[in-house]
Amino acid sequence: AQSVTQLDSHVSVSEGTPVLLRCNYSSSYSPSLFWYVQHPNKGLQLLLKYTSAATLVKGINGFEAEFKKSETSFHLTKPSAHMSDAAEYFCVVSIYGGSQGNLIFGKGTKLSVKP
Amino acid sequence: NAGVTQTPKFRILKIGQSMTLQCTQDMNHNYMYWYRQDPGMGLKLIYYSVGAGITDKGEVPNGYNVSRSTTEDFPLRLELAAPSQTSVYFCASSYRDPANYGYTFGSGTRLTVV
């Protein structure tokens, strides 16, 4: 069965410092992986996706994630946090060609950015 | 191009009342989904549809019903509202296999049952 685990429910960083949000996945197949961001009282927006091409994926707003099959991880990083990055982030896994065709969401990591 | 539109944005229901959450997309997407989001729990799939006339249950379907008579619309029906259905509901759509395309989300409906 497919699953995704976000290792931290809450991460707090200072503005200008690096961001690391951790995600591990479990899948019997070659997974597709996504990161979504949700700002307060808003819908979810796609940050980036991995679909078996390059293992280092670049997304919007300076975020990137690296797919590491040996570690079953897909951590999200950003070199320098901005106040506007404060939001909740969801790691998501799917099976390519899965019969249900739906995505499985992690429980989310809330990112706080201190001035 | 409006994307995925959900109405209403907010609603308060009394226990036992019924209501329909509306979801419309104008991107000609085949796949549509309903999720609920509870604090600290991520998103749970309620129902999904892979095309007009085809629907199936997700992880938490009890207390809900759906229909898909057109490609554009995917309404979610609550028949007898219960406090456990207090949540934020998101509709999403995808062109084809979401493993390749991901989802486009609506802005959500915040429902409170009292």
Side-chain angles (χ1 to χ4, degrees), chain B residues 31-86:
Chain B
Y31 291 61
M32 295 188 75
Y33 306 83
W34 276 105
Y35 283 87
R36 60 177 287 171
Q37 183 182 31
D38 301 301
M41 299 301 293
L43 277 73
K44 301 287 187 184
L45 181 65
I46 305 171
Y47 271 95
Y48 68 100
S49 170
V50 299
I54 305 169
T55 63
D56 208 345
K57 296 177 180 178
E59 184 180 358
V60 289
N62 291 343
Y64 307 95
N65 277 299
V66 294
S67 59
R68 184 94 182 271
S69 56
T70 66
T71 299
E72 295 78 19
D73 300 309
F74 191 42
L76 178 71
R77 178 80 177 164
L78 283 70
E79 290 293 348
L80 292 170
S84 61
Q85 293 177 304
T86 294

Side-chain angles (χ1 to χ4, degrees), chain A residues 26 55 59 61 65 75 89 91 94 104:
Chain A
S26 173
T55 56
N61 301 333
H75 301 335
Y89 293 79
C91 184
S94 178
I104 299 168

Side-chain angles (χ1 to χ4, degrees), chain A residues 8-68:
Chain A
D8 307 290
S9 59
H10 191 200
V11 170
S12 182
V13 301
S14 297
E15 191 174 22
T17 64
V19 175
L20 170 64
L21 305 182
R22 299 182 296 164
C23 172
N24 285 354
Y25 70 91
S26 173
S27 176
S28 304
Y29 304 89
S30 296
S32 291
L33 293 155
F34 305 79
W35 277 98
Y36 281 82
V37 60
Q38 184 181 30
H39 288 93
N41 299 314
K42 300 288 186 184
L44 285 80
Q45 179 185 17
L46 180 65
L47 265 183
L48 51 81
K49 65 178 180 179
Y50 165 77
T51 55
S52 76
T55 56
L56 182 62
V57 182
K58 294 187 184 299
I60 61 173
N61 301 333
F63 284 94
E64 62 182 39
E66 186 171 8
F67 173 71
K68 292 187 177 180

